Amino acid sequence: MRLLPEPAGRIEGGRVEFEGQDLIELDESEMRELRGKEIAMIFQDPMTSLNPVLTIEEQMVETIKAHKKITGSDARARAIELLSMVGIPQPEQRLRNFPHQFSGGMRQRVMIAMALALEPKLLIADEPTTALDVTIQAQVLELLSRLAADHGTAVILITHDLGVVAGMTRRTNVMYAGFVVESATTAELFAQPSHPYTVGLLHSMPRLDAQPGEPLIPIEGTPPDLRFAPVGCPFAPRCAWRVESCWRGMPPLEPLQPTTEVHMTGSGATHRCACWNRPTAEEASAGRPLRAGFTAAPEPIGAGR
Amino acid sequence: MTTPVLPAQAAGAPAQASATPLVSVEGLRMYFEITSGVLLSRHVGDIRAVDGIDLSIEKGETVGLVGESGCGKSTVGRTILRLYRPTAGRVVFDGQDITYAEGSTLRAVRRRMQMIFQDPYASLNPRMTAAGIVSEPMEIHNFASGRERRERVRDLLATVGLDPDYGDRYPHEFSGGQRQRIGVARALALHPDLIVADEPISALDVSIQAQIINLLERLQGEFGLTYLFIAHDLSVVRHISDRIAVMYLGKIVELTGSRALYERPLHPYSVALLSAVPIPDPAVEGRRRRIILTGDVPSPSNPPNGCRFHTRCWLRERLGNPDRCVAEEPVLREMTAGHAVACHFAEEVDGTAEQVQVTGRPGSGTPRAAAGPTPAAAGSMAGEAAGFPAAAPAAPASPEGDRPRLRKRS
């Protein structure tokens, strides 16, 4: 979305292609044209991402008119249509309300309505339900998946909740300290988790359907400080599977099975993992290394972390 | 209905025979006044945060308290610790009525009960060192002194998995998980019997949460602690608790062993809550049926008549909206040994739970909830719209000029 302020955040390199166009090369006015219309975003906290001193109507009409040549009354009619689409009762009256007059779940619906106002091709949902209660989360997720399916919108769902990932997505990228460490179709990722971090996440949270008394296996240590660039694999200090080479170089994101053709998207996306010493299937289900005599490699002296 | 044996009761809850429960709460009510007006504040209503609950906690037991935001679960914990003065009811701690205890009596009891807070950033004084934070309760209660106290602080820090030499560091020098460990060490400082843990892990990174859960479990074994574990995350509560109380709008709607709650929930709200918790397994998620509740939780200042859940209840709709739910408030009644539920029609829930839960076999028929003419029917994630227009309008905040303020009623 190119929303991070410079100079605090700076794009160092790489490409971000959207429909064949490199977004990084666009200037700010071209980017503004694209935002909202082609790519829209929903944020975690709907209270801080809505303007508290404007009514919902003012905010929605502003969004619609910014991108479409349309009269005020048509924009208003569109806003009412959008609110009823996301299941807000009495949309005509609710349009005149301010954000604080909505509950958390209702506010997130307003956000979804605004994000979908211009029928974007891509919707980026950043922790859309983290601030919500579980029954309200179920409502919002159901709404999001239904609307995305109806409008053919692609969705990037950013979340820390593996349960939400399992229920909502087709493909998953697991990130750690700025790197994608594992990438696969969601079905394959959960059937065959192959990165120690993915394995660790799956074992560190209790599952509702777990057998009582099943112990949790926590990931030791703490998330890394991103001010200091890691030498080697960023997960190495917390990893039970680390070998000596993990301290020296970042492993590349490579297919599990050697293959000539790597599919990045779709239901046949290649399962890839960035790890020098991948847990076996048995180890992944046990949550710890099982090889006889294996101990995690100690940090080399003078590694200079 | 046959009476099923509840294994959780045998395995989970410790001997019910033990003389007195550590904590016993009867008819507890905690209202917060709503006042209005600029100079002369008038009492215009009450937030009924807790509205008549009975709960007892045995020694060595972990009781989980779950519910959604605003259901009163934190208020129950705080009222048991007597951080509030209850509006009505009784709080008995180890045989001693502390409902209206004050001064030195209250302080003596407080030594035996401690709290772990949700936010380890806000609950530690940024200008005190870790050692200072952990030793402060000992200062207040004249517990050990001098060298002995310093030794104890080091022991406590080591017990919770921190380096004792870090005692002279300040909270900002620790990570979130380490800070929560300091909070745990502070709670342990006075050898308490009861620890009220209010959302102790929800502010932590997911990869850290298990560390704290395991720590709390280990400490319970080591020190024979009794926990009241308050959280919104049902998976976590189920993992750590022997028994679970499900709260909705200031009332306990179901109280049972944690295994029984999962395998055989009897309150329609519990069923919906369980079905809404996502499970990190796409194969399981694909099979599950979700009951999507319509609308939001009503305001606790003006709770619905009769059963408080009737405005969102899928079971009531399925039964053709019986008047009894509106006319008569259901009492918490014991359906089977150790399994209490507050629903007039809990017998009807029988079986439905299995169908909406993971154990539900795909293709073995739609859940019974979906059979009725209800828009709140279950649907899979990819399923149809669950009738949002039927949602009750969210209670808007007061549009009047002078907005209601919360004030403790005393």
Side-chain angles (χ1 to χ4, degrees), chain B residues 107-156:
Chain B
R107 195 177 314 161
V109 181
R110 285 247 179 88
R111 194 186 69 69
R112 300 178 54 196
M113 41 202 212
Q114 293 290 319
M115 184 150 184
I116 299 170
F117 297 89
Q118 170 170 1
D119 187 347
Y121 295 78
S123 61
L124 302 178
N125 185 337
R127 301 179 62 163
M128 287 172 75
T129 61
I133 289 166
V134 175
S135 69
E136 194 179 25
M138 295 190 258
E139 271 164 47
I140 292 168
H141 290 274
N142 287 322
F143 190 89
S145 60
R147 190 194 165 90
E148 194 191 341
R149 188 185 291 168
R150 283 194 297 276
E151 286 291 315
R152 176 143 178 80
V153 169
R154 288 182 67 87
D155 282 352
L156 284 165

Side-chain angles (χ1 to χ4, degrees), chain A residues 60-88:
Chain A
M60 292 190 75
V61 167
E62 182 190 4
T63 309
I64 297 167
K65 287 180 80 176
H67 290 276
K68 276 189 180 163
K69 285 205 163 45
I70 186 171
T71 64
S73 63
D74 283 351
R76 187 167 186 277
R78 173 78 178 135
I80 291 169
E81 186 192 333
L82 286 162
L83 287 189
S84 61
M85 181 179 83
V86 296
I88 291 180

Side-chain angles (χ1 to χ4, degrees), chain B residues 363-377:
Chain B
S364 66
T366 43
R368 281 163 63 186
T374 155

Side-chain angles (χ1 to χ4, degrees), chain A residues 103 109 133-137 139 142 146 160 163 166 168 190 204-206 208-210 214 216 218-219 221-222 238, chain B residues 68-69 175 206-211 214 235 238-239 262 274 276 278 280-282 292-293 295-296 381 384-385 388:
Chain A
S103 67
R109 284 163 193 261
D133 275 315
V134 61
T135 61
I136 308 296
Q137 164 170 289
Q139 290 177 2
E142 196 271 346
R146 175 166 57 86
H160 68 271
M168 288 284 292
F190 284 87
S204 64
M205 283 315 295
L208 188 64
D209 59 344
E214 214 170 274
L216 298 179
I219 300 176
T222 51
R238 306 176 71 189
Chain B
E68 296 181 276
S69 318
S175 67
V206 269
S207 69
I208 304 294
Q209 295 185 349
Q211 295 178 7
N214 284 1
S235 317
R238 182 176 115 87
H239 175 84
Y262 173 70
L274 284 160
D281 187 335
I292 298 195
L293 295 177
D296 289 306
M381 286 304 289
E384 286 185 65
F388 287 113

